[in-house]
Amino acid sequence: MQMLDWRICSSCKDSCRYCFASEKLPAVGLDQERIILDKIKNSNIEAVNITGGEPLIDAERCFRIIDSLHHSGKSVYLSTNGYQVLEYLTHIRETVSLLGLPLDGPDEESNMACGRNRGSFGQVLQILESHAAKDIPIKIGTVVTKKNLSCRNLEGLAELMDHHPVNIWRIYEMLPENRAIQNRADLELAPKDLEELIHIVRRISEKKHRWHVELVTRRMRNANYMIIRPNGTVIIPIDDGNQVDEVLLGSLLDMSLPELIEKWNKVARERNDIFYSKRRLSDLGFNTLEVKG
Ligand code: SF4
């Protein structure tokens, strides 16, 4: 295990309909936060992705966690909706190895197609145009659903990023997990939609860009993440081809990280095949996702 995700809170002021963050869970208190931090810092984990909800909604806490991990030599990735990034850019530049920002379309209206708030697009653009952000490695994340799957949308995004300092463009197939399950009828990609997406991404990747594009399908994500939830419990999301269930492995408050990793490995091995038997899709060679296990 090289990397884990830590959803440090559940709250977020955005309203993405594909959101798969943990439903309202209380965040751990300061003492419990220290226990979790110590266990991560004393482990071989190389990188931690700080996410939420929106992790910067409590910026003081978010940077307390980021600073502690950074000073212990871990790489810290921050996945945020971007609303408070400009305010903390200097701090982010000093401590964060990869800043993840969302863009679902190349303009305000298309960016709102899956529920992002008005203003989100302009906020991310402002960060990309900020001089101070130029030396922060930036990953743009795009969740593709039925609502924003089109050549025009994705090629428009590619063109927009050609003019900005983006390092990685990661395109995610929408996952039916948590809140996203309620909206799946409207959003979920059918097999033929996924084939279209693969075709579009392949065409985009054939051109020369300053960024690297990665398509991350449901199949690739299955049993591939170990996630600490806001309350300290640890899950592995398992996609059985119908929906994604968060299988509880235990709590980092009363188990050691090696114990949880051992459990994670066991469940990942046992459950990884289920997906393939229910959802026979080929990913046509897009196997660029870093395997975290
Ligand atoms: S996807 Fe991210 S930005 Fe959107 S509602 Fe969920 S936590 Fe907030």
Side-chain angles (χ1 to χ4, degrees):
M1 169 78 56
Q2 298 161 343
M3 176 172 168
L4 49 81
D5 288 75
W6 187 353
R7 294 177 183 166
I8 65 170
C9 65
S10 306
S11 321
C12 178
K13 288 182 183 153
D14 232 323
S15 44
C16 313
R17 298 179 70 222
Y18 53 66
C19 180
F20 59 87
S22 304
E23 291 299 336
K24 300 284 173 235
L25 284 174
V28 290
L30 196 53
D31 289 347
Q32 296 173 321
E33 182 187 295
R34 281 204 198 104
I35 294 172
I36 296 174
L37 276 169
D38 285 345
K39 288 185 180 177
I40 299 174
K41 289 196 285 189
N42 293 325
S43 75
N44 293 330
I45 295 287
E46 291 169 12
V48 182
N49 180 31
I50 301 297
T51 172
E54 168 48 43
L56 284 172
I57 216 157
D58 181 348
E60 189 183 326
R61 173 161 184 259
C62 183
F63 285 114
R64 186 171 66 231
I65 291 171
I66 288 176
D67 289 355
S68 177
L69 292 169
H70 171 70
H71 292 308
S72 72
K74 305 292 181 196
S75 295
V76 182
Y77 305 158
L78 174 63
S79 295
T80 165
N81 59 19
Y83 290 112
Q84 283 150 283
V85 163
L86 286 173
E87 204 179 322
Y88 298 106
L89 218 42
T90 309
H91 202 143
I92 290 172
R93 196 171 49 217
E94 286 164 2
T95 51
V96 168
S97 308
L98 187 67
L99 176 63
L101 297 166
L103 276 179
D104 293 338
D107 53 53
E108 180 81 279
E109 297 308 318
S110 57
N111 195 56
M112 291 167 63
C114 306
R116 285 215 170 266
N117 290 349
R118 185 169 291 282
S120 168
F121 176 78
Q123 192 61 47
V124 172
L125 213 60
Q126 242 186 300
I127 299 165
L128 296 179
E129 283 168 357
S130 146
H131 187 69
K134 286 203 167 28
D135 48 358
I136 304 176
I138 291 181
K139 179 199 84 178
I140 294 296
T142 301
V143 178
V144 178
T145 72
K146 264 188 208 153
K147 299 282 179 198
N148 64 341
L149 169 64
S150 78
C151 199
R152 194 163 153 264
N153 203 45
L154 292 168
E155 288 189 344
L157 268 169
E159 197 184 329
L160 185 141
M161 285 188 286
D162 278 338
H163 296 97
H164 292 93
V166 171
N167 300 76
I168 302 169
W169 182 19
R170 198 165 282 173
I171 300 174
Y172 299 95
E173 180 187 3
M174 175 256 174
L175 278 186
E177 181 178 350
N178 287 327
R179 184 199 301 170
I181 293 174
Q182 299 153 27
N183 300 317
R184 64 185 306 178
D186 252 9
L187 303 180
E188 194 173 5
L189 298 185
K192 68 170 179 19
D193 299 325
L194 178 58
E195 286 194 16
E196 186 184 342
L197 174 61
I198 290 166
H199 178 72
I200 297 170
V201 176
R202 178 166 286 152
R203 251 206 355 239
I204 288 172
S205 67
E206 278 164 2
K207 291 193 188 141
K208 207 166 159 26
H209 301 284
R210 57 199 296 172
W211 33 264
H212 170 68
V213 63
E214 296 177 354
L215 174 61
V216 184
T217 61
R218 280 178 61 173
R219 189 182 104 170
M220 292 170 177
R221 289 162 93 178
N222 180 37
N224 205 23
Y225 292 81
M226 179 162 160
I227 299 170
I228 307 171
R229 294 195 294 188
N231 64 356
T233 52
V234 177
I235 53 154
I236 174 172
I238 299 287
D239 190 337
D240 68 2
N242 176 36
Q243 69 177 50
V244 180
D245 293 318
E246 300 187 335
V247 176
L248 184 66
L249 299 173
S251 169
L252 203 39
L253 298 175
D254 47 46
M255 286 173 78
S256 72
L257 197 44
E259 273 176 305
L260 284 161
I261 292 173
E262 200 184 313
K263 246 182 131 177
W264 182 90
N265 271 317
K266 189 167 172 286
V267 177
R269 263 197 314 272
E270 284 169 5
R271 303 291 298 269
N272 206 10
D273 285 343
I274 295 174
F275 186 84
Y276 300 103
S277 59
K278 287 208 177 165
R279 192 177 159 100
R280 295 185 185 282
L281 294 174
S282 88
D283 286 331
L284 305 175
F286 275 99
N287 287 315
T288 51
L289 179 68
E290 181 190 0
V291 176
K292 297 180 180 179

